[in-house]
Amino acid sequence: MSLLDTCFSADNLHESFMDIRGNIHFKYNVQNYRINELQEIRKFQKAYEDGAFAFSQSRPFRMRERGHERLIHPIVFRDRVVIHAFCKYVLIPKLLPYFIYDNCASLKGKGIDKAQDRFRVHLKKYYFEHKTNEGYILQIDCRKYFDNLRHDEIIRSMSERLTAEEIDFLKLI
């Protein structure tokens, strides 16, 4: 069964759209996608079938956060729908069992509250082990962290758990 049949069915793409539109449903590009949803889904499926699918190029913008300016490369909304479907129906089911328990990044049921709870657990553990609350917490914001990862090594390590077609799609992202 191909990726198009399982992950990129019209139902799965629609469900992914419904998942991510959330608090941004009022934005023009989200409303435009909703109006043309069936056409957008079919256009993607046809391009994927033909081997002609490519992610769109977006216009980067600058943002100031915690006193630092960052260059943001947004993902075009229709591409976000496709990526969400791939993550939801392929990556998460296949890779979640290999994540550490304390990973709270972008996982359903593991948001800020879960991260804070785990933080409290680790603080208590530190206190009981060292009988003091004196210590340090290191917060790091690595510049261009994801850009500088060895993507070839990450894909190689995932190749044990993903099919060749899934790896080929992952390389497009």
Side-chain angles (χ1 to χ4, degrees), residues 60-95:
F61 63 91
R62 297 196 181 282
M63 178 180 176
R64 186 166 281 283
E65 183 179 64
R66 291 192 304 248
H68 298 284
E69 190 172 275
R70 297 174 46 182
L71 185 63
I72 306 296
H73 296 275
I75 300 172
V76 173
F77 186 77
R78 66 178 173 270
D79 293 347
R80 286 182 60 197
V81 172
V82 171
I83 292 170
H84 184 83
F86 184 70
C87 290
K88 182 176 182 175
Y89 297 106
V90 175
L91 293 183
I92 291 174
K94 290 188 174 188
L95 300 178

Side-chain angles (χ1 to χ4, degrees), residues 11 82 104 139:
D11 287 340
V82 171
C104 295
Q139 179 179 349

Side-chain angles (χ1 to χ4, degrees), residues 108-171:
K108 193 169 192 147
K110 287 191 167 192
I112 292 172
D113 291 339
K114 178 72 172 181
Q116 289 174 339
D117 290 345
R118 293 301 300 158
F119 183 67
R120 282 187 202 95
V121 166
H122 289 290
L123 284 178
K124 287 178 184 177
K125 181 179 175 186
Y126 180 88
Y127 180 79
F128 287 120
E129 284 179 10
H130 301 282
K131 303 297 185 231
T132 181
N133 60 358
E134 292 184 21
Y136 298 92
I137 296 173
L138 178 63
Q139 179 179 349
I140 299 175
D141 187 3
C142 297
R143 185 172 180 267
K144 296 193 174 203
Y145 177 76
F146 289 103
D147 294 342
N148 292 313
L149 290 175
R150 293 281 316 267
H151 294 104
D152 57 332
E153 290 295 321
I154 294 169
I155 288 174
R156 186 192 57 73
S157 69
M158 292 174 134
S159 64
E160 300 170 9
R161 295 172 179 85
L162 302 176
T163 67
E165 184 184 15
E166 293 163 351
I167 292 291
D168 289 343
F169 185 80
L170 191 58
K171 290 177 182 178

Side-chain angles (χ1 to χ4, degrees), residues 21-62:
R21 73 179 183 148
N23 292 334
I24 58 170
H25 60 89
F26 61 90
K27 291 186 175 183
Y28 171 78
N29 56 352
V30 178
Q31 291 179 359
N32 192 44
Y33 185 92
R34 177 66 173 143
I35 290 167
N36 301 302
E37 185 179 9
L38 293 177
Q39 291 171 321
E40 292 286 347
I41 288 171
R42 186 59 196 136
K43 188 167 49 173
F44 162 73
Q45 289 175 330
K46 180 81 172 108
Y48 187 76
E49 284 172 357
D50 296 343
F53 174 74
F55 287 103
S56 305
Q57 294 296 317
S58 61
R59 297 178 62 196
F61 63 91
R62 297 196 181 282

